[in-house]
Amino acid sequence: MSPSAWVENRPTAGRRALDWREVWRYRELVAFLALRDIRVRYKQAAFGMLWALAQPLAGLLVFTLVFDRLAGVPSDGVPYPLFVLVGMTFWTLFSGGLSAATASLVANSSLVTKVYFPRVAAPLASVLPRLVDLSVTLVLLALLLAVTGTLPGPQVLLLPLVVLWAVGLAFGVGLTLATVQVRFRDAHHALTLMVQLWLYASPVAYPSSLVPAEWRWAYALNPVAGLLDSARWVLLDTRPPAAPVLVSLAVTGLLLVLGVRVFAAGERRFADVI
Amino acid sequence: MTNAIEVEGLGKRYRLGEGLASGTLRDAVSDGVARALRRGGRSRDEAADVWALRDVDLAVPQGASLGIVGRNGAGKSTLLKVLARITEPTVGVSRTRGAVGSLLEVGTGFHPELTGRENVFLNAAVLGMPRAVVAARLDDIVDFSGIGRFLDTPVKRYSSGMYLRLAFAVAAHVDADVLLVDEVLAVGDAEFQRRCLGRMEDLGRSGRTVVFISHNLDAVLRLCSTALWLDGGRVRGVGRTADVVDDYLREATPDAGRRSFAEDPDSPVSLLGIDVREADGGSAGRLRREEPFVVEVDLGVRERVPGLDLAVSVETLNGVRLLDEALSDTAQSGPGPLAGPGRHRVSLTLPPLLMPGEYLVNVWAGTTYETLVWEHGAARLRLEGSHQARPDRLLAAQGVWTVTAAAPR
Ligand SMILES: Nc1ncnc2c1ncn2[C@@H]1O[C@H](COP(=O)(O)OP(=O)(O)OP(=O)(O)O)[C@@H](O)[C@H]1O
Ligand SMILES: [Mg+2]
């Protein structure tokens, strides 16, 4: 056997960083973990992939009844059902990814305590299955767009970037919460509450144009606001997002950096305290 | 020869209590409030710390097999976790050379809803095997496991034995330069254990470095050229397996064969003491399998008990009764002097029947109508020696064989 390099394990001095090259080397594990989650979710489910539509459609129904019919909320000049479906699609992508990433370490605790792998593979793998749900919803959306004759503009080509934004945001916040959850099991109660409030604080069922102009900048501190404005512009050709979207983007970036920092700092004790 | 594993001044401290391990947010908040109210309360209680490893130094040459022995909680698994980089040491450093495969549990990452095939690929990915390699070895793995046509059945429909075999088959085909194995033999039947051991021997011969934890000292003796004895997180001994295991055994059973008991004031008969030793003297506790041994029981009889009888039974640690000998079995005219008041010493000499291992010696005394003394595990008996390559049997009767030319009947 050829003498290969030493691999060391010693106490970290100072701040830890995540080793992304190593994550790349473990990409097959990430893929298999994601695949496992997908298979397990759709196995023995009579309606299989159609369940992916359940949440966006339920939201569509309720919000159309309450906000459109009863409250008469405006919808940026597109049919309200389409408006809310795009909102729900990206909201579900974000909130579903966030819940999965938060639970990912505890859900894989036997792996965490029994084998070595870059820990960040777990939250990373847990957000990927959400893309399957997303593609199912997008097919439905495309059908609706075709039926109603609403055509997106050329900016539809930016769709992958918007998806990346939603996933990145879920991943970033999820990294922080997953680290907290390893220590405190009841963190998920807090998460459920937080996600519920966050939904109403985001322009899912109403347009952000409803927010008074002088508050737009503050409102954009909620990164989901900028995300949903962009998603609607990309898919429904509504008004292009205004300058506050940059605030949302910056906050997303900050949350990602924070998540990576918190995760990297907590990582070395995961196997001990989980 | 180059080393495959080096460990220097390694220490690992675990923190217990103080709401750190698997606490809840509520505890943390209330702890925090309580501490703030106390003002300047100690940040952490040093007594709540456990040093699972302390000052461990070790070097394992490439191609060697190292056995780790020690009591429960000695830090064996922790050492493996540090070597595998699952957890970080508190002080010191550990180094490994080449690909490390850790087998701390059979079937890590198996999911009940997935089929055998899917689990093979998943488990292999978890153990760090590239997909292409697994695909190429799938036939070998399936052969080894003997799962056959159940390959595409969800593993939740497997018997626990099938599940284990498949999981071990995957692990056995991992391409690691350094293989870390923790107590996987504790599960599975005798056949499974034999396969595991055989496979690990093969790996050792092919130049892999194997570190092996087991409470099955026989397996350690068979597999490992060197052994490490951990005790309370510290290295108590390291060197030739036979020597280390010997030292460990001597310490692990300090005179467990000799015990005394307090008199029972409520019973006319009490067990006062027991001693198990080799027939020709020798020390208590550690006996050679090839020699007869003596169980000596001291019995205190306060008042005359007509028909008093005494029995000594021997059982394995998992409760299989192998022998049960009563004083009245021997056709002498009854127990005689035992029934009268006084302190009696009764000894029973047993021929070398039992295989090496640990046994419990129980003492019963009573009459046909009532039990007056029942001491389960009154003494522990450890027999040492060779299994003579048949580890599955419990008894060796040493029957008499003859071979002669056969005349037609
Ligand atoms: N995650 C943890 N948090 C706190 N203490 C731990 C943790 N893991 C192990 N310990 C403690 O460290 C010590 C050593 O444990 P370890 O699992 O290494 O023992 P072991 O030698 O493998 O024992 P066994 O033979 O029972 O498997 C024990 O006192 C145990 O309680
Ligand atoms: Mg252990």
Side-chain angles (χ1 to χ4, degrees):
Chain A
M1 240 160 273
S2 64
S4 34
W6 285 114
V7 177
E8 284 202 345
N9 187 7
R10 58 163 79 234
T12 30
R15 206 166 59 210
R16 272 171 77 104
L18 293 184
D19 184 350
W20 292 103
R21 252 177 320 173
E22 186 175 41
V23 176
W24 176 245
R25 261 183 279 130
Y26 275 82
R27 60 191 179 278
E28 276 193 0
L29 178 62
V30 175
F32 271 112
L33 289 178
L35 217 57
R36 176 196 67 185
D37 289 352
I38 294 172
R39 294 238 168 100
V40 168
R41 256 183 68 189
Y42 295 115
K43 232 166 218 192
Q44 290 203 342
F47 294 102
M49 298 272 170
L50 291 183
W51 280 115
L53 295 176
Q55 208 184 344
L57 283 184
L60 172 77
L61 214 67
V62 172
F63 290 140
T64 306
L65 273 178
V66 176
F67 287 82
D68 186 34
R69 289 292 136 85
L70 296 182
V73 167
S75 55
D76 282 349
V78 291
Y80 186 85
L82 277 182
F83 173 87
V84 83
L85 185 60
V86 171
M88 274 310 284
T89 301
F90 281 83
W91 170 257
T92 312
L93 175 62
F94 163 70
S95 65
L98 176 59
S99 310
T102 303
S104 62
L105 289 172
V106 174
N108 287 304
S109 60
S110 81
L111 287 189
V112 172
T113 54
K114 299 290 195 247
V115 281
Y116 174 78
F117 63 95
R119 302 319 190 187
V120 74
L124 196 58
S126 71
V127 294
L128 296 183
R130 300 290 147 178
L131 295 177
V132 177
D133 290 9
L134 174 74
S135 44
V136 177
T137 333
L138 284 182
V139 169
L140 175 76
L141 196 68
L143 284 176
L144 287 181
L145 287 182
V147 169
T148 55
T150 326
L151 279 191
Q155 68 270 27
V156 73
L157 294 178
L158 295 178
L159 180 62
L161 288 184
V162 182
V163 171
L164 190 68
W165 183 354
V167 170
L169 182 58
F171 180 62
V173 181
L175 284 180
T176 306
L177 295 183
T179 310
V180 174
Q181 177 133 39
V182 166
R183 278 265 285 277
F184 307 112
R185 283 305 142 75
D186 51 354
H188 74 268
H189 297 302
L191 174 73
T192 314
L193 190 66
M194 184 182 98
V195 167
Q196 239 165 44
L197 294 179
W198 201 334
L199 168 65
Y200 291 104
S202 307
V204 176
Y206 56 89
S208 56
S209 53
L210 221 56
V211 176
E214 65 270 29
W215 285 102
R216 296 267 165 83
W217 289 93
Y219 188 63
L221 283 175
N222 171 6
V224 180
L227 169 71
L228 293 187
D229 284 351
S230 311
R232 289 200 176 105
W233 171 63
V234 163
L235 285 170
L236 300 175
D237 202 14
T238 53
R239 229 167 346 93
V245 77
L246 295 177
V247 174
S248 290
L249 267 176
V251 171
T252 304
L254 283 179
L255 287 174
L256 248 172
V257 171
L258 175 76
V260 170
R261 283 272 174 85
V262 169
F263 194 89
E267 185 179 42
R268 65 207 191 91
R269 314 219 325 121
F270 285 166
D272 298 344
V273 295
I274 204 164
Chain B
M1 196 184 290
T2 52
N3 286 333
I5 299 173
E6 288 178 2
V7 169
E8 286 163 23
L10 197 72
K12 172 76 189 177
R13 182 182 57 202
Y14 283 120
R15 294 170 176 186
L16 303 175
E18 287 277 333
L20 265 163
S22 70
T24 63
L25 215 49
R26 208 189 80 194
D27 296 345
V29 170
S30 58
D31 278 6
V33 171
R35 207 172 297 141
L37 290 180
R38 258 190 279 123
R39 287 294 282 268
R42 301 145 300 129
S43 63
R44 194 158 49 76
D45 192 357
E46 283 292 324
D49 286 355
V50 180
W51 281 92
L53 290 174
R54 196 101 214 227
D55 304 326
V56 177
D57 294 297
L58 183 68
V60 184
Q62 216 155 57
S65 50
L66 174 80
I68 304 182
V69 298
R71 271 180 247 216
N72 295 123
K76 305 181 294 296
S77 300
T78 306
L79 178 56
L80 234 56
K81 284 185 180 178
V82 172
L83 290 178
R85 292 196 294 151
I86 292 164
T87 184
E88 205 180 76
T90 311
V91 293
V93 57
S94 82
R95 296 185 201 96
T96 51
R97 209 198 284 277
V100 175
S102 55
L103 191 50
L104 268 62
E105 178 186 70
V106 177
T108 306
F110 261 46
H111 197 289
E113 293 289 344
L114 299 182
T115 67
R117 185 193 303 274
E118 289 165 343
N119 269 310
V120 167
F121 280 97
L122 176 65
N123 191 219
V126 165
L127 295 174
M129 243 197 294
R131 208 189 67 82
V133 177
V134 192
R137 290 190 192 162
L138 188 62
D139 287 342
D140 288 349
I141 294 175
V142 174
D143 270 359
F144 190 90
S145 70
I147 288 307
R149 63 199 178 82
F150 289 97
L151 186 61
D152 289 306
T153 309
V155 299
K156 66 178 173 183
R157 309 242 181 274
Y158 283 21
S159 74
S160 51
M162 289 160 68
Y163 181 97
L164 281 177
R165 293 162 73 123
L166 185 63
F168 188 79
V170 182
H173 288 80
V174 169
D175 238 344
D177 302 316
V178 176
L179 193 64
L180 309 171
V181 184
D182 190 355
E183 202 67 75
V184 290
L185 298 179
V187 292
D189 57 9
E191 198 258 320
F192 173 77
Q193 300 195 0
R194 218 190 333 253
R195 275 180 108 124
C196 296
L197 283 176
R199 179 70 197 178
M200 272 153 63
E201 264 173 346
D202 291 349
L203 288 177
R205 270 197 291 272
S206 63
R208 305 307 188 355
T209 311
V210 180
V211 178
F212 176 54
I213 297 182
S214 184
H215 289 287
N216 179 345
L217 297 177
D218 229 51
V220 173
L221 281 166
R222 183 175 146 194
L223 269 176
C224 306
S225 46
T226 50
L228 171 75
W229 171 19
L230 283 180
D231 188 22
R234 290 173 190 273
V235 176
R236 273 294 287 278
V238 59
R240 238 169 44 95
T241 309
D243 302 340
V244 173
V245 168
D246 231 44
D247 292 347
Y248 169 59
L249 279 177
R250 193 162 345 199
E251 155 118 0
T253 46
D255 267 4
R258 179 183 292 141
R259 269 174 79 187
S260 29
F261 299 85
E263 193 172 335
D264 180 357
D266 301 328
S267 168
V269 180
S270 14
L271 174 65
L272 297 176
I274 184 167
D275 187 10
V276 183
R277 52 187 168 74
E278 271 178 21
D280 57 357
S283 70
R286 272 160 52 89
L287 307 172
R288 274 169 300 165
R289 177 245 165 286
E290 303 86 3
E291 298 295 321
F293 66 89
V294 178
V295 180
E296 214 169 65
V297 177
D298 282 8
L299 207 63
V301 179
R302 213 136 19 104
E303 55 203 61
R304 189 176 171 77
V305 181
L308 182 63
D309 195 6
L310 178 82
V312 168
S313 55
V314 177
E315 63 183 46
T316 62
L317 293 188
N318 37 20
V320 179
R321 180 87 45 104
L322 297 172
L323 301 171
D324 193 346
E325 304 284 313
L327 190 54
S328 58
D329 289 345
T330 43
Q332 296 153 358
S333 54
L338 187 65
R343 188 181 171 117
H344 307 290
R345 177 159 293 178
V346 190
S347 29
L348 167 71
T349 305
L350 288 167
L353 271 179
L354 304 175
M355 293 307 290
E358 253 190 86
Y359 302 92
L360 294 182
V361 179
N362 313 319
V363 176
W364 174 91
T367 64
T368 326
Y369 310 108
E370 57 179 337
T371 293
L372 296 171
V373 170
W374 169 242
E375 193 67 39
H376 183 257
R380 243 171 198 245
L381 168 64
R382 172 179 287 283
L383 292 176
E384 284 169 44
S386 158
H387 278 304
Q388 291 156 326
R390 273 159 293 165
D392 298 340
R393 60 180 174 173
L394 290 172
L395 300 173
Q398 240 110 58
V400 182
W401 294 88
T402 57
V403 181
T404 55
R409 284 189 203 275

